[in-house]
Amino acid sequence: MEQHSPTASRSWASGAKGRLLRNRWLYMMVLPGLLYFLIFKYWPMYGIFISFKDYQPFLGFWDSPFVGFKHFERLFGDPNFLVLFRNTLILATYNILFFFPLPIIIALMLNELKQEFVKRTVQTLVYIPHFMSWVVVVGIAYMFFTTEGGIVNELIARFGGEKINFLISNDWFRFMVTAEVMWKETGWGTIIFLAALSGVDPQLYEAARMDGANRLRQMWHITLPAIRSTIVILLILRLGHFLDTGFEQIFLMLNAMNREVGEVFDTYVYSVGISQGQYSYSTAVGLFKSIVGLFLVVAANRLAKKFGEEGIY
């Protein structure tokens, strides 16, 4: 067995100390982010164990009785489980199919604008909805789509049509939710893609123009390949939150008429778990969602590497 002398150990320690002192300001810059993840991401993870306990606040975390997979059996045996899973899956799929490509399309369109003033103005306008709360967004949707003086229904009536009660219709609920997400978050989602596009070498476009490529071909053969890795990474990360359809927006949109298609895991956790103090059960539901997200991330990452992409790890 190789023996390390005390002199070598002291030399390594002094070298590590020297590197630490030389790069101390870099470590100081990393420290806030590191503390954030340790305190708000990793430290709370021990709380998932209450999904295997019958957690009672007055008994505490450690003294609450262990019940194994009781809460998971209750979840999977609940007659509403398939309805919840179906509603969550459909809304999540709509977000992937309709919302995820939209920031890419908008970023590509903004990248083609040559006048900086117009480009920055459009960027600002599409960013603004992100800073509105869901209460405001749902309130705007209500003003537009209500049958009592809503702009959309007034236009339908003016052109001889019959008013549609969008806000309580099962057929329109998922469209409304997806459209609100697209309007609110598309502009914010373009930031990363625009940053990736800024790194494309302008000489590639010049060479393509000399070869006779029009702007559409330049976009297809230069722009899209340049941001392909960014698209793949963001898609993989998005799949990690596949079942997170968002609580606040859907909770505000729910009512007695559309609950059949609108109740998802996030609202179910609130109404059954949190409101009724069933913390272990609500944690079990959240853990189930996390496991599904982890499986999708691992599968998507392997698939991406199989097709020659870098993936996220």
Side-chain angles (χ1 to χ4, degrees):
M1 182 181 294
E2 184 180 357
Q3 299 292 329
H4 295 283
S5 65
T7 304
S9 298
R10 287 195 297 270
S11 176
W12 180 88
S14 61
K17 183 178 180 181
R19 288 192 297 270
L20 183 63
L21 290 175
R22 285 194 305 271
N23 300 318
R24 60 186 181 277
W25 297 115
L26 292 177
Y27 289 117
M28 289 295 292
M29 293 174 63
V30 171
L31 186 60
L34 182 62
L35 289 175
Y36 167 78
F37 278 96
L38 288 175
I39 296 172
F40 295 104
K41 300 296 182 180
Y42 287 97
W43 174 250
M45 285 179 66
Y46 81 94
I48 66 175
F49 289 108
I50 70 173
S51 61
F52 303 99
K53 289 174 169 281
D54 188 9
Y55 177 69
Q56 303 294 331
F58 60 88
L59 291 177
F61 179 81
W62 299 111
D63 294 330
S64 296
F66 181 80
V67 295
F69 293 95
K70 171 186 173 182
H71 302 297
F72 294 94
E73 293 173 357
R74 175 187 169 188
L75 172 64
F76 299 137
D78 192 325
N80 294 320
F81 173 76
L82 291 179
V83 175
L84 293 169
F85 190 75
R86 181 196 65 195
N87 293 341
T88 305
L89 188 64
I90 292 175
L91 284 175
T93 304
Y94 281 8
N95 282 334
I96 293 294
L97 292 178
F98 301 113
F99 167 65
F100 182 79
L102 198 55
I104 304 172
I105 296 171
I106 299 297
L108 292 173
M109 295 173 65
L110 289 173
N111 188 60
E112 293 298 315
L113 293 176
K114 301 305 179 184
Q115 297 181 353
E116 284 298 320
F117 174 77
V118 176
K119 182 177 181 179
R120 294 182 183 278
T121 302
V122 174
Q123 281 180 303
T124 302
L125 291 175
V126 296
Y127 289 166
I128 288 175
H130 170 77
F131 299 98
M132 298 181 182
S133 70
W134 277 116
V135 176
V136 175
V137 173
V138 173
I140 293 173
Y142 178 85
M143 290 189 297
F144 269 83
F145 293 99
T146 181
T147 55
E148 304 297 329
I151 297 174
V152 174
N153 272 308
E154 290 299 321
L155 288 174
I156 292 175
R158 180 166 296 183
F159 286 100
E162 186 177 349
K163 291 184 178 182
I164 303 172
N165 206 331
F166 295 97
L167 300 175
I168 65 172
S169 171
N170 287 346
D171 297 330
W172 286 97
F173 178 83
R174 290 164 181 154
F175 166 79
M176 295 281 294
V177 169
T178 306
E180 288 170 4
V181 173
M182 293 168 65
W183 180 76
K184 185 177 186 295
E185 301 295 346
T186 294
W188 190 253
T190 61
I191 293 177
I192 296 178
F193 296 111
L194 286 172
L197 289 172
S198 65
V200 181
D201 189 353
Q203 294 182 358
L204 295 175
Y205 293 107
E206 294 177 6
R209 283 194 294 270
M210 292 179 64
D211 289 338
N214 57 28
R215 297 181 74 171
L216 186 60
R217 286 192 171 274
Q218 292 174 38
M219 182 185 299
W220 182 257
H221 293 289
I222 299 175
T223 308
L224 280 175
I227 64 173
R228 184 176 59 191
S229 60
T230 304
I231 295 173
V232 171
I233 290 173
L234 290 179
L235 179 59
I236 295 173
L237 294 175
R238 180 80 180 177
L239 290 175
H241 300 278
F242 185 69
L243 296 183
D244 293 333
T245 52
F247 164 75
E248 187 177 0
Q249 178 200 12
I250 296 179
F251 182 75
L252 293 169
M253 294 287 294
L254 275 180
N255 54 61
M257 302 299 294
N258 59 26
R259 189 170 294 275
E260 181 182 351
V261 298
E263 187 81 83
V264 295
F265 284 120
D266 292 323
T267 55
Y268 179 73
V269 165
Y270 172 77
S271 59
V272 176
I274 305 300
S275 297
Q276 300 178 17
Q278 302 180 38
Y279 303 113
S280 294
Y281 182 61
S282 59
T283 304
V285 178
L287 183 57
F288 164 72
K289 289 171 49 185
S290 300
I291 292 173
V292 172
L294 176 62
F295 173 78
L296 290 174
V297 167
V298 172
N301 191 72
R302 287 188 177 182
L303 189 63
K305 287 192 171 184
K306 186 176 181 181
F307 284 95
E309 298 296 332
E310 293 182 2
I312 58 174
Y313 61 87

